[in-house]
Amino acid sequence: MKITLTAIKADAGSIGGHICPSEQLLAAVEDTISRQGRGLIIDYSLNYTGDDVAILLTHDRGIDNERVHRLTWDAFLAGTEVAKTQGLYGAGQDLLKDAFSGNTRGLGPAVAEMEFEERPNEPFLMFTADKTEPGAYNLPLFLAFADPMHNAGLILSPAAGKGYLFTVMDVDYSEGDRVIELVTPENMYDLATLLRDNGRFVVESIHSRHDGGISVSCCTTRLRNIAGKYVGKDDPIMLVRTQKNFPATGEVLAPFEICHYVSGFMRGSHVGPLMPVKARSSVSFFDGPPIVSCLAFSVRNGILTEAVDAFDHPYWDWVREKAAQKAHDIREQGFSGAAMLGIHDLEYVGISHRLDALEDDFIVR
Ligand code: 13P
Ligand code: 13P
Ligand code: MG
Ligand code: MG
């Protein structure tokens, strides 16, 4: 059976700042999905990471389906209405356009979708991150799908050994979707050249070169390109099908133990380690640190199993300690150098206003 997974994530408002959504907000989202989704979708799972609500839907209507996207838009609107009545912070923060125009892409919410012929056993992962940017998945994806030092499965499995096709988007370009296709292992250095720049180049999808099947779909939304100004971080969502011709689940999870430094910490203007957390975690220290959670599912005929929390394991408690140490270490240097984003990526105008005001006071000796 051919099914579609649609994962859409948005910040519709949160308690006490940018911490997490309220129970009432989640209930309003769920109520809309279950009522309006009848006859349209097959199954759903509702979760949140930090202040972002993530809706996972299964259906047979293909990607970019107008009715399916409208359902999620209406659900986030219902959540926003509750957020307003409860005085939640940033009510409707990621719903940047006033009206739905046929597709949720480009309206604010983060979208990851894929359509595929269901395998007899179909495991997949949904990653949701908060206080970071879509490029946060670049390094873990490179290591899991292209680096045999991190994933010996690439040499153990003949199918994985055929390599993968990466589609990478230039998210700075706003006139359309500017993309490039690169294959591994042949184009590894070119791929690394692009993926080092998490703010500009983002992995959009990864396909198997063994059979062409899709493994990864990642959102590529840049809220700033939609709104023209900072309205919140582009907290990304990603779907990854695992096993058989794709890396094993554990091979996809493993690179997250690095807790690599990403941007998006506090006001979207600081750099912090990406901490793998349990599902439905909030943020705290310095509006962070940047967090990522991962839910594992299996699906048959579009019916989802219960979600299993992939980072809820003693090993990841140790990794979280490490991330906390890395967060502490970089916060020790305050505004200095690598602790903050460069001037062109800063999400607030205060610093550029100050620099402008100082312009006339400079002298050239
Ligand atoms: P099993 O032998 O338990 O199926 O595991 C295979 C595998 O993919 C382990 O990473
Ligand atoms: P969110 O994008 O998660 O709402 O965070 C905004 C922010 O600036 C927190 O400091
Ligand atoms: Mg927020
Ligand atoms: Mg958020």
Side-chain angles (χ1 to χ4, degrees):
M1 176 184 177
K2 213 169 197 184
I3 63 156
T4 310
L5 302 179
T6 297
I8 302 196
K9 178 161 161 305
D11 180 343
S14 59
I15 300 176
H18 294 279
I19 296 180
C20 64
S22 68
E23 293 297 334
Q24 276 189 45
L25 187 161
L26 290 165
V29 172
E30 177 145 27
D31 180 60
T32 307
I33 299 288
S34 61
R35 267 188 310 104
Q36 293 185 28
R38 222 165 282 143
L40 175 66
I41 59 168
I42 301 173
D43 206 352
Y44 72 91
S45 176
L46 181 69
N47 289 282
Y48 69 85
T49 299
D51 59 6
D52 303 323
V53 177
I55 303 171
L56 171 67
L57 304 175
T58 65
H59 55 94
D60 56 8
R61 294 165 193 277
I63 66 168
D64 289 327
N65 180 272
E66 180 170 344
R67 288 178 61 202
V68 171
H69 280 227
R70 180 184 293 279
L71 173 65
T72 60
W73 182 257
D74 289 347
F76 288 129
L77 281 185
T80 300
E81 286 314 308
V82 170
K84 286 179 184 161
T85 64
Q86 291 190 296
L88 301 194
Y89 196 68
Q93 179 186 283
D94 290 352
L95 309 184
L96 302 179
K97 300 278 164 94
D98 293 335
F100 181 78
S101 58
N103 191 310
T104 310
R105 283 181 213 273
L107 298 186
V111 185
E113 285 191 295
M114 50 169 73
E115 185 183 31
F116 52 86
E117 193 65 45
E118 248 185 22
R119 298 171 289 178
N121 32 67
E122 188 58 68
F124 73 93
L125 307 171
M126 180 177 73
F127 289 89
T128 49
D130 189 35
K131 310 298 184 264
T132 184
E133 58 185 350
Y137 297 130
N138 282 357
L139 179 64
L141 290 175
F142 180 83
L143 296 177
F145 285 82
D147 183 357
M149 185 67 191
H150 273 79
N151 177 10
L154 297 171
I155 49 178
L156 284 167
S157 154
K162 296 260 176 59
Y164 292 94
L165 167 71
F166 284 69
T167 304
V168 177
M169 187 183 287
D170 174 357
V171 296
D172 261 0
Y173 191 80
S174 51
E175 306 299 307
D177 291 349
R178 186 165 183 262
V179 295
I180 187 169
E181 292 187 346
L182 294 171
V183 293
T184 55
E186 294 90 324
N187 305 141
M188 260 180 83
Y189 289 0
D190 291 332
L191 187 62
T193 301
L194 297 181
L195 298 190
R196 63 170 285 283
D197 190 346
N198 293 334
R200 176 158 183 206
F201 298 108
V202 176
V203 175
E204 180 191 59
S205 63
I206 302 177
H207 291 77
S208 160
R209 292 175 75 189
H210 174 71
D211 69 352
I214 185 163
S215 174
V216 174
S217 172
C218 180
C219 80
T220 50
T221 317
R222 283 210 73 172
L223 298 179
R224 192 175 54 182
N225 288 349
I226 301 168
K229 61 177 182 349
Y230 182 61
V231 287
K233 209 55 201 171
D234 317 301
D235 302 321
I237 192 161
M238 173 170 76
L239 294 167
V240 184
R241 292 167 74 210
T242 59
Q243 305 292 138
K244 297 288 177 199
N245 301 335
F246 308 131
T249 294
E251 290 164 347
V252 175
L253 296 176
F256 286 92
E257 77 159 351
I258 295 170
C259 311
H260 63 304
Y261 286 110
V262 295
S263 54
F265 207 173
M266 183 49 85
R267 295 179 185 270
S269 304
H270 294 77
V271 171
L274 187 63
M275 177 189 272
V277 294
K278 296 177 189 177
R280 298 186 172 228
S281 287
S282 61
V283 293
S284 177
F285 171 66
F286 204 59
D287 280 6
I291 55 172
V292 58
S293 59
C294 176
L295 292 175
F297 297 89
S298 280
V299 59
R300 187 67 181 153
N301 297 323
I303 307 284
L304 295 165
T305 59
E306 67 271 33
V308 170
D309 191 342
F311 290 135
D312 184 3
H313 182 277
Y315 185 83
W316 297 100
D317 290 336
W318 172 77
V319 172
R320 285 187 271 275
E321 299 266 322
K322 182 176 100 166
Q325 182 68 51
K326 289 183 73 164
H328 165 81
D329 291 349
I330 197 155
R331 286 312 315 135
E332 273 191 329
Q333 68 176 63
F335 58 75
S336 180
M340 284 186 83
L341 272 56
I343 184 78
H344 299 297
D345 287 320
L346 275 183
E347 305 285 14
Y348 283 75
V349 292
I351 289 181
S352 54
H353 284 181
R354 275 178 193 280
L355 286 172
D356 289 347
L358 293 173
E359 196 55 35
D360 293 341
D361 297 338
F362 273 95
I363 54 165
V364 178
R365 274 205 305 254

mmCIF file of all heavy atoms in Angstrom, residues 188-226:
data_model
loop_
_atom_site.group_PDB
_atom_site.id
_atom_site.type_symbol
_atom_site.label_atom_id
_atom_site.label_comp_id
_atom_site.label_asym_id
_atom_site.label_seq_id
_atom_site.Cartn_x
_atom_site.Cartn_y
_atom_site.Cartn_z
ATOM 1 N N MET A 188 31.352 13.257 -1.698
ATOM 2 C CA MET A 188 31.398 13.524 -0.252
ATOM 3 C C MET A 188 31.999 14.873 0.116
ATOM 4 O O MET A 188 31.504 15.567 1.002
ATOM 5 C CB MET A 188 32.177 12.425 0.466
ATOM 6 C CG MET A 188 31.281 11.407 1.118
ATOM 7 S SD MET A 188 32.230 10.142 1.935
ATOM 8 C CE MET A 188 32.605 10.935 3.492
ATOM 9 N N TYR A 189 33.074 15.249 -0.561
ATOM 10 C CA TYR A 189 33.735 16.510 -0.175
ATOM 11 C C TYR A 189 32.865 17.713 -0.556
ATOM 12 O O TYR A 189 32.824 18.709 0.158
ATOM 13 C CB TYR A 189 35.124 16.629 -0.828
ATOM 14 C CG TYR A 189 36.173 15.690 -0.258
ATOM 15 C CD1 TYR A 189 35.858 14.803 0.769
ATOM 16 C CD2 TYR A 189 37.480 15.701 -0.736
ATOM 17 C CE1 TYR A 189 36.815 13.940 1.300
ATOM 18 C CE2 TYR A 189 38.441 14.849 -0.202
ATOM 19 C CZ TYR A 189 38.099 13.967 0.806
ATOM 20 O OH TYR A 189 39.054 13.129 1.321
ATOM 21 N N ASP A 190 32.186 17.609 -1.712
ATOM 22 C CA ASP A 190 31.282 18.698 -2.093
ATOM 23 C C ASP A 190 30.126 18.794 -1.098
ATOM 24 O O ASP A 190 29.695 19.888 -0.715
ATOM 25 C CB ASP A 190 30.723 18.471 -3.503
ATOM 26 C CG ASP A 190 31.809 18.634 -4.563
ATOM 27 O OD1 ASP A 190 32.768 19.390 -4.310
ATOM 28 O OD2 ASP A 190 31.697 17.998 -5.633
ATOM 29 N N LEU A 191 29.626 17.624 -0.706
ATOM 30 C CA LEU A 191 28.528 17.598 0.258
ATOM 31 C C LEU A 191 28.963 18.240 1.576
ATOM 32 O O LEU A 191 28.256 19.083 2.146
ATOM 33 C CB LEU A 191 28.092 16.146 0.487
ATOM 34 C CG LEU A 191 26.853 15.930 1.330
ATOM 35 C CD1 LEU A 191 25.620 16.556 0.693
ATOM 36 C CD2 LEU A 191 26.617 14.428 1.554
ATOM 37 N N ALA A 192 30.163 17.869 2.046
ATOM 38 C CA ALA A 192 30.675 18.446 3.299
ATOM 39 C C ALA A 192 30.849 19.954 3.174
ATOM 40 O O ALA A 192 30.576 20.711 4.117
ATOM 41 C CB ALA A 192 32.004 17.786 3.669
ATOM 42 N N THR A 193 31.265 20.389 1.987
ATOM 43 C CA THR A 193 31.462 21.828 1.763
ATOM 44 C C THR A 193 30.158 22.586 1.962
ATOM 45 O O THR A 193 30.136 23.669 2.557
ATOM 46 C CB THR A 193 31.990 22.057 0.326
ATOM 47 O OG1 THR A 193 33.209 21.337 0.185
ATOM 48 C CG2 THR A 193 32.220 23.528 0.035
ATOM 49 N N LEU A 194 29.051 22.003 1.489
ATOM 50 C CA LEU A 194 27.758 22.666 1.666
ATOM 51 C C LEU A 194 27.246 22.500 3.096
ATOM 52 O O LEU A 194 26.802 23.471 3.720
ATOM 53 C CB LEU A 194 26.729 22.090 0.686
ATOM 54 C CG LEU A 194 27.021 22.279 -0.802
ATOM 55 C CD1 LEU A 194 25.903 21.669 -1.636
ATOM 56 C CD2 LEU A 194 27.176 23.758 -1.160
ATOM 57 N N LEU A 195 27.317 21.278 3.613
ATOM 58 C CA LEU A 195 26.660 20.999 4.891
ATOM 59 C C LEU A 195 27.348 21.624 6.095
ATOM 60 O O LEU A 195 26.776 21.666 7.185
ATOM 61 C CB LEU A 195 26.497 19.486 5.098
ATOM 62 C CG LEU A 195 25.626 18.757 4.059
ATOM 63 C CD1 LEU A 195 25.340 17.336 4.521
ATOM 64 C CD2 LEU A 195 24.329 19.499 3.783
ATOM 65 N N ARG A 196 28.558 22.136 5.913
ATOM 66 C CA ARG A 196 29.208 22.830 7.026
ATOM 67 C C ARG A 196 28.471 24.125 7.349
ATOM 68 O O ARG A 196 28.526 24.626 8.447
ATOM 69 C CB ARG A 196 30.676 23.138 6.711
ATOM 70 C CG ARG A 196 30.860 24.066 5.537
ATOM 71 C CD ARG A 196 32.290 24.550 5.383
ATOM 72 N NE ARG A 196 32.621 25.548 6.375
ATOM 73 C CZ ARG A 196 32.240 26.820 6.318
ATOM 74 N NH1 ARG A 196 31.504 27.264 5.312
ATOM 75 N NH2 ARG A 196 32.572 27.662 7.261
ATOM 76 N N ASP A 197 27.734 24.664 6.382
ATOM 77 C CA ASP A 197 27.043 25.941 6.563
ATOM 78 C C ASP A 197 25.571 25.669 6.906
ATOM 79 O O ASP A 197 24.699 25.686 6.042
ATOM 80 C CB ASP A 197 27.172 26.764 5.271
ATOM 81 C CG ASP A 197 26.688 28.191 5.444
ATOM 82 O OD1 ASP A 197 26.010 28.466 6.458
ATOM 83 O OD2 ASP A 197 26.967 29.018 4.561
ATOM 84 N N ASN A 198 25.316 25.418 8.198
ATOM 85 C CA ASN A 198 23.974 25.012 8.620
ATOM 86 C C ASN A 198 22.912 26.089 8.403
ATOM 87 O O ASN A 198 21.725 25.794 8.345
ATOM 88 C CB ASN A 198 23.982 24.651 10.112
ATOM 89 C CG ASN A 198 24.789 23.402 10.399
ATOM 90 O OD1 ASN A 198 24.949 22.555 9.535
ATOM 91 N ND2 ASN A 198 25.329 23.303 11.601
ATOM 92 N N GLY A 199 23.357 27.343 8.319
ATOM 93 C CA GLY A 199 22.392 28.432 8.169
ATOM 94 C C GLY A 199 21.941 28.613 6.738
ATOM 95 O O GLY A 199 20.918 29.241 6.473
ATOM 96 N N ARG A 200 22.703 28.062 5.799
ATOM 97 C CA ARG A 200 22.382 28.311 4.393
ATOM 98 C C ARG A 200 21.979 27.058 3.634
ATOM 99 O O ARG A 200 21.047 27.090 2.831
ATOM 100 C CB ARG A 200 23.575 28.973 3.698
ATOM 101 C CG ARG A 200 23.334 29.156 2.230
ATOM 102 C CD ARG A 200 24.165 30.214 1.597
ATOM 103 N NE ARG A 200 23.775 30.326 0.195
ATOM 104 C CZ ARG A 200 24.562 30.764 -0.763
ATOM 105 N NH1 ARG A 200 25.777 31.174 -0.475
ATOM 106 N NH2 ARG A 200 24.130 30.810 -1.999
ATOM 107 N N PHE A 201 22.710 25.963 3.828
ATOM 108 C CA PHE A 201 22.432 24.745 3.058
ATOM 109 C C PHE A 201 21.840 23.674 3.974
ATOM 110 O O PHE A 201 22.412 23.360 5.017
ATOM 111 C CB PHE A 201 23.707 24.242 2.389
ATOM 112 C CG PHE A 201 24.269 25.224 1.396
ATOM 113 C CD1 PHE A 201 25.428 25.933 1.688
ATOM 114 C CD2 PHE A 201 23.620 25.470 0.198
ATOM 115 C CE1 PHE A 201 25.932 26.860 0.787
ATOM 116 C CE2 PHE A 201 24.118 26.394 -0.712
ATOM 117 C CZ PHE A 201 25.283 27.089 -0.419
ATOM 118 N N VAL A 202 20.701 23.141 3.572
ATOM 119 C CA VAL A 202 19.956 22.210 4.424
ATOM 120 C C VAL A 202 19.595 20.962 3.620
ATOM 121 O O VAL A 202 19.115 21.061 2.484
ATOM 122 C CB VAL A 202 18.659 22.883 4.935
ATOM 123 C CG1 VAL A 202 17.826 21.899 5.731
ATOM 124 C CG2 VAL A 202 18.995 24.110 5.785
ATOM 125 N N VAL A 203 19.838 19.794 4.223
ATOM 126 C CA VAL A 203 19.424 18.548 3.569
ATOM 127 C C VAL A 203 17.892 18.534 3.508
ATOM 128 O O VAL A 203 17.216 18.633 4.527
ATOM 129 C CB VAL A 203 19.913 17.309 4.347
ATOM 130 C CG1 VAL A 203 19.357 16.040 3.716
ATOM 131 C CG2 VAL A 203 21.429 17.277 4.386
ATOM 132 N N GLU A 204 17.365 18.429 2.298
ATOM 133 C CA GLU A 204 15.914 18.368 2.124
ATOM 134 C C GLU A 204 15.432 16.916 2.117
ATOM 135 O O GLU A 204 14.394 16.603 2.700
ATOM 136 C CB GLU A 204 15.531 19.041 0.803
ATOM 137 C CG GLU A 204 14.046 19.029 0.532
ATOM 138 C CD GLU A 204 13.736 19.470 -0.902
ATOM 139 O OE1 GLU A 204 14.233 18.822 -1.845
ATOM 140 O OE2 GLU A 204 13.026 20.469 -1.058
ATOM 141 N N SER A 205 16.186 16.047 1.430
ATOM 142 C CA SER A 205 15.790 14.635 1.381
ATOM 143 C C SER A 205 17.013 13.768 1.101
ATOM 144 O O SER A 205 18.038 14.254 0.606
ATOM 145 C CB SER A 205 14.732 14.411 0.289
ATOM 146 O OG SER A 205 15.271 14.712 -0.979
ATOM 147 N N ILE A 206 16.884 12.486 1.422
ATOM 148 C CA ILE A 206 17.920 11.499 1.091
ATOM 149 C C ILE A 206 17.220 10.258 0.543
ATOM 150 O O ILE A 206 16.251 9.765 1.137
ATOM 151 C CB ILE A 206 18.773 11.118 2.322
ATOM 152 C CG1 ILE A 206 19.450 12.365 2.929
ATOM 153 C CG2 ILE A 206 19.819 10.076 1.941
ATOM 154 C CD1 ILE A 206 20.264 12.079 4.193
ATOM 155 N N HIS A 207 17.704 9.796 -0.618
ATOM 156 C CA HIS A 207 17.154 8.593 -1.242
ATOM 157 C C HIS A 207 18.234 7.522 -1.352
ATOM 158 O O HIS A 207 19.421 7.832 -1.513
ATOM 159 C CB HIS A 207 16.628 8.894 -2.661
ATOM 160 C CG HIS A 207 15.403 9.753 -2.679
ATOM 161 N ND1 HIS A 207 15.440 11.111 -2.468
ATOM 162 C CD2 HIS A 207 14.093 9.429 -2.890
ATOM 163 C CE1 HIS A 207 14.202 11.600 -2.553
ATOM 164 N NE2 HIS A 207 13.374 10.607 -2.798
ATOM 165 N N SER A 208 17.808 6.253 -1.311
ATOM 166 C CA SER A 208 18.715 5.130 -1.497
ATOM 167 C C SER A 208 19.135 5.045 -2.966
ATOM 168 O O SER A 208 18.300 5.162 -3.868
ATOM 169 C CB SER A 208 17.998 3.839 -1.091
ATOM 170 O OG SER A 208 18.636 2.729 -1.675
ATOM 171 N N ARG A 209 20.415 4.807 -3.220
ATOM 172 C CA ARG A 209 20.854 4.573 -4.606
ATOM 173 C C ARG A 209 20.685 3.100 -4.976
ATOM 174 O O ARG A 209 20.887 2.728 -6.130
ATOM 175 C CB ARG A 209 22.322 4.987 -4.787
ATOM 176 C CG ARG A 209 22.523 6.488 -4.676
ATOM 177 C CD ARG A 209 23.989 6.847 -4.746
ATOM 178 N NE ARG A 209 24.539 6.759 -6.099
ATOM 179 C CZ ARG A 209 25.836 6.853 -6.359
ATOM 180 N NH1 ARG A 209 26.712 6.978 -5.382
ATOM 181 N NH2 ARG A 209 26.260 6.774 -7.608
ATOM 182 N N HIS A 210 20.315 2.287 -4.013
ATOM 183 C CA HIS A 210 20.076 0.865 -4.281
ATOM 184 C C HIS A 210 18.747 0.670 -4.988
ATOM 185 O O HIS A 210 18.662 -0.013 -6.014
ATOM 186 C CB HIS A 210 20.117 0.086 -2.968
ATOM 187 C CG HIS A 210 19.754 -1.352 -3.095
ATOM 188 N ND1 HIS A 210 20.585 -2.256 -3.713
ATOM 189 C CD2 HIS A 210 18.652 -2.036 -2.703
ATOM 190 C CE1 HIS A 210 20.002 -3.445 -3.697
ATOM 191 N NE2 HIS A 210 18.838 -3.346 -3.098
ATOM 192 N N ASP A 211 17.693 1.311 -4.461
ATOM 193 C CA ASP A 211 16.371 1.130 -5.083
ATOM 194 C C ASP A 211 15.599 2.431 -5.270
ATOM 195 O O ASP A 211 14.431 2.401 -5.655
ATOM 196 C CB ASP A 211 15.528 0.139 -4.265
ATOM 197 C CG ASP A 211 15.118 0.712 -2.921
ATOM 198 O OD1 ASP A 211 15.616 1.810 -2.556
ATOM 199 O OD2 ASP A 211 14.286 0.086 -2.235
ATOM 200 N N GLY A 212 16.236 3.572 -4.974
ATOM 201 C CA GLY A 212 15.574 4.859 -5.188
ATOM 202 C C GLY A 212 14.608 5.254 -4.083
ATOM 203 O O GLY A 212 14.012 6.341 -4.119
ATOM 204 N N GLY A 213 14.428 4.390 -3.072
ATOM 205 C CA GLY A 213 13.460 4.673 -2.008
ATOM 206 C C GLY A 213 13.854 5.873 -1.163
ATOM 207 O O GLY A 213 15.042 6.143 -0.952
ATOM 208 N N ILE A 214 12.845 6.587 -0.675
ATOM 209 C CA ILE A 214 13.126 7.758 0.158
ATOM 210 C C ILE A 214 13.345 7.334 1.608
ATOM 211 O O ILE A 214 12.584 6.542 2.159
ATOM 212 C CB ILE A 214 12.008 8.818 0.052
ATOM 213 C CG1 ILE A 214 12.387 10.080 0.844
ATOM 214 C CG2 ILE A 214 10.648 8.267 0.523
ATOM 215 C CD1 ILE A 214 11.568 11.302 0.482
ATOM 216 N N SER A 215 14.412 7.867 2.208
ATOM 217 C CA SER A 215 14.650 7.604 3.627
ATOM 218 C C SER A 215 14.364 8.838 4.459
ATOM 219 O O SER A 215 13.737 8.737 5.510
ATOM 220 C CB SER A 215 16.102 7.164 3.855
ATOM 221 O OG SER A 215 16.364 7.049 5.236
ATOM 222 N N VAL A 216 14.835 10.014 3.984
ATOM 223 C CA VAL A 216 14.774 11.224 4.811
ATOM 224 C C VAL A 216 13.976 12.326 4.123
ATOM 225 O O VAL A 216 14.137 12.559 2.921
ATOM 226 C CB VAL A 216 16.208 11.762 5.085
ATOM 227 C CG1 VAL A 216 16.155 13.098 5.824
ATOM 228 C CG2 VAL A 216 17.014 10.750 5.877
ATOM 229 N N SER A 217 13.138 12.982 4.902
ATOM 230 C CA SER A 217 12.517 14.234 4.472
ATOM 231 C C SER A 217 12.643 15.216 5.621
ATOM 232 O O SER A 217 12.262 14.923 6.751
ATOM 233 C CB SER A 217 11.046 14.023 4.111
ATOM 234 O OG SER A 217 10.442 15.283 3.873
ATOM 235 N N CYS A 218 13.229 16.378 5.330
ATOM 236 C CA CYS A 218 13.491 17.364 6.384
ATOM 237 C C CYS A 218 12.901 18.700 5.971
ATOM 238 O O CYS A 218 12.919 19.053 4.791
ATOM 239 C CB CYS A 218 15.005 17.488 6.556
ATOM 240 S SG CYS A 218 15.510 18.666 7.803
ATOM 241 N N CYS A 219 12.370 19.439 6.915
ATOM 242 C CA CYS A 219 11.795 20.744 6.567
ATOM 243 C C CYS A 219 12.918 21.731 6.255
ATOM 244 O O CYS A 219 14.030 21.608 6.749
ATOM 245 C CB CYS A 219 10.924 21.275 7.685
ATOM 246 S SG CYS A 219 11.858 22.013 9.004
ATOM 247 N N THR A 220 12.615 22.708 5.425
ATOM 248 C CA THR A 220 13.617 23.683 5.000
ATOM 249 C C THR A 220 13.110 25.117 5.178
ATOM 250 O O THR A 220 13.634 26.041 4.564
ATOM 251 C CB THR A 220 13.966 23.457 3.507
ATOM 252 O OG1 THR A 220 12.738 23.395 2.773
ATOM 253 C CG2 THR A 220 14.739 22.182 3.291
ATOM 254 N N THR A 221 12.132 25.281 6.056
ATOM 255 C CA THR A 221 11.510 26.598 6.234
ATOM 256 C C THR A 221 12.450 27.598 6.911
ATOM 257 O O THR A 221 13.078 27.271 7.901
ATOM 258 C CB THR A 221 10.271 26.465 7.158
ATOM 259 O OG1 THR A 221 9.551 25.324 6.766
ATOM 260 C CG2 THR A 221 9.412 27.700 7.102
ATOM 261 N N ARG A 222 12.533 28.805 6.376
ATOM 262 C CA ARG A 222 13.204 29.888 7.107
ATOM 263 C C ARG A 222 12.167 30.959 7.378
ATOM 264 O O ARG A 222 11.726 31.665 6.482
ATOM 265 C CB ARG A 222 14.365 30.480 6.313
ATOM 266 C CG ARG A 222 15.579 29.590 6.363
ATOM 267 C CD ARG A 222 16.875 30.370 6.267
ATOM 268 N NE ARG A 222 17.176 31.097 7.473
ATOM 269 C CZ ARG A 222 18.336 31.722 7.665
ATOM 270 N NH1 ARG A 222 19.253 31.740 6.753
ATOM 271 N NH2 ARG A 222 18.562 32.367 8.784
ATOM 272 N N LEU A 223 11.776 31.074 8.649
ATOM 273 C CA LEU A 223 10.699 32.006 9.001
ATOM 274 C C LEU A 223 11.051 33.433 8.598
ATOM 275 O O LEU A 223 10.192 34.196 8.204
ATOM 276 C CB LEU A 223 10.434 31.954 10.507
ATOM 277 C CG LEU A 223 9.970 30.596 11.056
ATOM 278 C CD1 LEU A 223 9.755 30.676 12.552
ATOM 279 C CD2 LEU A 223 8.691 30.152 10.373
ATOM 280 N N ARG A 224 12.332 33.750 8.683
ATOM 281 C CA ARG A 224 12.732 35.117 8.359
ATOM 282 C C ARG A 224 12.450 35.434 6.891
ATOM 283 O O ARG A 224 12.110 36.558 6.535
ATOM 284 C CB ARG A 224 14.215 35.326 8.674
ATOM 285 C CG ARG A 224 14.625 36.781 8.624
ATOM 286 C CD ARG A 224 16.043 36.958 9.058
ATOM 287 N NE ARG A 224 16.941 36.101 8.299
ATOM 288 C CZ ARG A 224 18.239 36.036 8.521
ATOM 289 N NH1 ARG A 224 18.779 36.759 9.480
ATOM 290 N NH2 ARG A 224 19.006 35.260 7.805
ATOM 291 N N ASN A 225 12.600 34.424 6.036
ATOM 292 C CA ASN A 225 12.326 34.653 4.619
ATOM 293 C C ASN A 225 10.836 34.848 4.357
ATOM 294 O O ASN A 225 10.445 35.414 3.345
ATOM 295 C CB ASN A 225 12.825 33.481 3.776
ATOM 296 C CG ASN A 225 14.335 33.472 3.694
ATOM 297 O OD1 ASN A 225 14.985 34.438 4.090
ATOM 298 N ND2 ASN A 225 14.900 32.383 3.208
ATOM 299 N N ILE A 226 10.002 34.333 5.265
ATOM 300 C CA ILE A 226 8.556 34.492 5.096
ATOM 301 C C ILE A 226 8.096 35.816 5.692
ATOM 302 O O ILE A 226 7.381 36.586 5.073
ATOM 303 C CB ILE A 226 7.798 33.332 5.785
ATOM 304 C CG1 ILE A 226 8.229 31.991 5.197
ATOM 305 C CG2 ILE A 226 6.292 33.522 5.639
ATOM 306 C CD1 ILE A 226 7.747 30.797 6.001
#
